[in-house]
Amino acid sequence: NSGICRRKIIKRVNNKIRMDEAKVVDMIDIEDISEKAAFCRCWKSKNWPYCDGSHGEHNKECNDNLGPVVVSRKQK
Ligand code: FES
């Protein structure tokens, strides 16, 4: 790890997820979310589209503050 933010060098946001697709779109059926799910917004997850904590390394490397969007069901 050189400590250099790669985003300063590479203009793309996505350099990892399904690079062969013109647009990365994920459809999640709300019925498949049991209680809550965290979705990646940093494009670095190895478990896309879910957050796997990889944003933490990015944030350290780039002094950034990225995190997931968490979708949860209302308690009934
Ligand atoms: Fe991307 Fe957590 S791994 S937001």
Side-chain angles (χ1 to χ4, degrees):
N1 186 336
S2 66
I4 298 171
C5 178
R6 291 190 302 156
R7 288 195 60 185
K8 290 178 182 169
I9 300 166
I10 301 168
K11 300 287 187 216
R12 291 184 59 113
V13 170
N14 178 23
N15 293 293
K16 176 176 179 162
I17 309 293
R18 304 198 312 249
M19 298 294 285
D20 57 326
E21 296 180 19
K23 184 190 302 182
V24 178
V25 176
D26 295 283
M27 303 295 285
I28 307 291
D29 190 330
I30 192 72
E31 300 303 327
D32 291 338
I33 297 174
S34 56
E35 192 176 311
K36 69 168 73 168
F39 292 95
C40 179
R41 292 193 295 184
C42 75
W43 293 85
K44 309 230 184 266
S45 175
K46 294 174 185 68
N47 189 31
W48 184 268
Y50 300 97
C51 172
D52 72 349
S54 295
H55 58 267
E57 181 67 25
H58 166 85
N59 286 344
K60 262 193 260 171
E61 185 178 320
C62 300
N63 191 30
D64 213 333
N65 63 351
L66 303 183
V69 60
V70 179
V71 176
S72 60
R73 290 184 176 276
K74 284 184 178 171
Q75 299 297 322
K76 292 181 182 173

